[in-house]
């Protein structure tokens, strides 16, 4: 059995269409949407609306952790639009989702990332795409558990939830062979982004579940350039499956 795993697709529909080649199934750990590309400031919803110069300024402020100034910049720009902010974002997201969900192979098992809009997924997920969050699925005789979304952060991305809500989903999944989440467990080496030079949000509840339930694998993404991509925690192999938007290459799990 061979399963390909991707995370942080961020608009890379071209590579996503090939991600299932040679695999029996594809697993996607979320962040389909590209709001702003930190490597190429001309790509994404934000520069499409406000231009590359404003996008570069927003990246500069966020990287410097000047989040209040970043929010003030965004508020000024959104106030100057002729269309409502929520409508503009939803229209742009719908356009990306239509292309991305059409690229998914059959079968695909997917959960949400912190930049995704879960309320829209049911409109785009076809018969070959199974969406799971706080749920389990059997793939090739192994039980996979899925927990989507991220924890609350200064970035205020669309699908951030409280630690209690997140812990409840981890609890609902229970004991599995492969635990699939968007964010990593709260381990410094796994949550530190070496390019952004900051610690991203990881989950303590996820780390506790790994110690307690001992899955064979814990797979995740979210941190694009982690200090460490892979480590063993007890009996569990913890793997950041990579920044698919940048690499275009899935991580492979075989048994």
């Amino acid at each position: 059995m061979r399963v390909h795993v991707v995370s942080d697709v961020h608009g890379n529909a071209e590579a996503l269409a090939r991600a299932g080649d040679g695999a029996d199934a594809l697993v996607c750990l979320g962040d389909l949407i590209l709001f702003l590309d930190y490597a190429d400031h001309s790509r994404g919803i934000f520069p499409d609306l406000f231009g590359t110069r404003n996008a570069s300024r927003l990246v500069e402020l966020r990287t410097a952790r000047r989040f209040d100034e970043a929010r003030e910049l965004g508020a000024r720009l959104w106030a100057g639009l002729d269309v409502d902010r929520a409508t503009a974002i939803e229209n742009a997201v719908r356009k990306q989702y239509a292309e991305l969900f059409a690229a998914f192979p059959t079968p695909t098992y997917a959960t949400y990332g912190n930049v995704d809009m879960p309320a829209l997924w049911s409109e785009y997920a076809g018969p070959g795409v199974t969406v799971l969050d706080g749920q389990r699925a059997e793939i090739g005789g192994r039980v996979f558990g899925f927990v989507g979304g991220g924890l609350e952060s200064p970035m205020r991305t669309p699908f951030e939830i409280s630690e209690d809500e997140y812990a409840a989903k981890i609890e609902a999944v229970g004991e599995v062979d492969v635990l699939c989440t968007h964010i990593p467990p709260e381990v410094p080496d796994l949550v530190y982004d070496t390019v952004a030079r900051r610690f991203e949000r990881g989950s303590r509840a996820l780390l506790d579940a790994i110690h307690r339930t001992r899955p064979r694998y814990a797979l995740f993404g979210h941190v694009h350039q982690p200090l460490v991509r892979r480590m063993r925690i007890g009996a569990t192999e913890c793997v950041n499956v990579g920044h698919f938007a940048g690499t275009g290459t899935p991580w492979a799990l075989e048994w």
Side-chain angles (χ1 to χ4, degrees), residues 151-183:
L151 296 175
E152 295 164 343
S153 77
M155 306 294 282
R156 297 185 183 178
T157 50
F159 193 43
E160 294 181 354
I161 61 176
S162 71
E163 293 187 25
D164 287 345
E165 290 177 275
Y166 196 88
K169 292 195 291 185
I170 292 287
E171 184 68 24
V173 165
E175 294 187 15
V176 295
D177 297 306
V178 185
L179 184 51
C180 299
T181 60
H182 177 67
I183 63 174

Side-chain angles (χ1 to χ4, degrees), residues 67-175:
F67 296 114
D68 288 340
E69 292 177 65
R71 282 191 284 272
E72 289 172 7
L73 172 64
R76 289 198 304 272
L77 293 172
W78 285 109
L81 280 187
D82 294 331
V83 64
D84 172 75
R85 173 176 179 165
T87 301
I89 291 177
E90 182 173 324
N91 289 341
V93 168
R94 284 182 177 279
K95 182 178 179 181
Q96 290 190 22
Y97 276 165
E99 183 177 12
L100 290 159
F101 276 90
F104 275 135
T106 298
T108 291
Y109 301 86
T111 195
Y112 316 112
N114 59 291
V115 304
D116 285 312
M117 297 177 67
L120 299 180
W121 278 37
S122 61
E123 298 183 37
Y124 296 94
V129 179
T130 303
V131 179
L132 304 112
D133 188 17
Q135 298 163 293
R136 300 147 58 104
E138 185 177 321
I139 305 174
R142 288 191 175 180
V143 179
F144 285 63
F146 294 82
V147 175
L151 296 175
E152 295 164 343
S153 77
M155 306 294 282
R156 297 185 183 178
T157 50
F159 193 43
E160 294 181 354
I161 61 176
S162 71
E163 293 187 25
D164 287 345
E165 290 177 275
Y166 196 88
K169 292 195 291 185
I170 292 287
E171 184 68 24
V173 165
E175 294 187 15

Side-chain angles (χ1 to χ4, degrees), residues 17-245:
R18 303 188 300 269
D21 291 355
D24 298 291
L26 178 71
V27 167
C28 178
L29 305 182
D31 269 12
L32 299 183
I33 292 303
L34 179 61
F35 187 76
L36 176 58
D37 190 329
Y38 278 55
D40 181 353
H41 303 167
S42 68
R43 298 181 63 244
I45 294 171
F46 191 89
D48 285 349
L49 291 170
F50 304 117
T52 302
R53 182 178 178 182
N54 284 318
S56 296
R57 179 58 177 161
L58 184 66
V59 170
E60 178 186 348
L61 291 171
R62 285 182 171 180
T63 302
R65 302 187 66 79
R66 293 157 61 184
F67 296 114
D68 288 340
E69 292 177 65
R71 282 191 284 272
E72 289 172 7
L73 172 64
R76 289 198 304 272
L77 293 172
W78 285 109
L81 280 187
D82 294 331
V83 64
D84 172 75
R85 173 176 179 165
T87 301
I89 291 177
E90 182 173 324
N91 289 341
V93 168
R94 284 182 177 279
K95 182 178 179 181
Q96 290 190 22
Y97 276 165
E99 183 177 12
L100 290 159
F101 276 90
F104 275 135
T106 298
T108 291
Y109 301 86
T111 195
Y112 316 112
N114 59 291
V115 304
D116 285 312
M117 297 177 67
L120 299 180
W121 278 37
S122 61
E123 298 183 37
Y124 296 94
V129 179
T130 303
V131 179
L132 304 112
D133 188 17
Q135 298 163 293
R136 300 147 58 104
E138 185 177 321
I139 305 174
R142 288 191 175 180
V143 179
F144 285 63
F146 294 82
V147 175
L151 296 175
E152 295 164 343
S153 77
M155 306 294 282
R156 297 185 183 178
T157 50
F159 193 43
E160 294 181 354
I161 61 176
S162 71
E163 293 187 25
D164 287 345
E165 290 177 275
Y166 196 88
K169 292 195 291 185
I170 292 287
E171 184 68 24
V173 165
E175 294 187 15
V176 295
D177 297 306
V178 185
L179 184 51
C180 299
T181 60
H182 177 67
I183 63 174
E186 192 178 276
V187 176
D189 286 354
L190 296 176
V191 300
Y192 186 74
D193 191 304
T194 60
V195 174
R197 292 181 296 178
R198 65 170 179 258
F199 289 96
E200 301 289 356
R201 286 298 308 269
S203 169
R204 180 69 200 186
L206 173 57
L207 179 60
D208 290 345
I210 289 170
H211 283 296
R212 184 177 69 254
T213 66
R214 299 163 59 89
R216 297 186 188 187
Y217 290 92
L219 308 179
F220 48 86
H222 186 56
V223 183
H224 293 179
Q225 298 91 194
L227 189 63
V228 172
R229 294 193 175 275
R230 189 167 184 156
M231 71 163 49
R232 197 160 191 88
I233 298 177
T236 303
E237 192 72 17
C238 298
V239 183
N240 183 319
V241 300
H243 179 223
F244 186 76

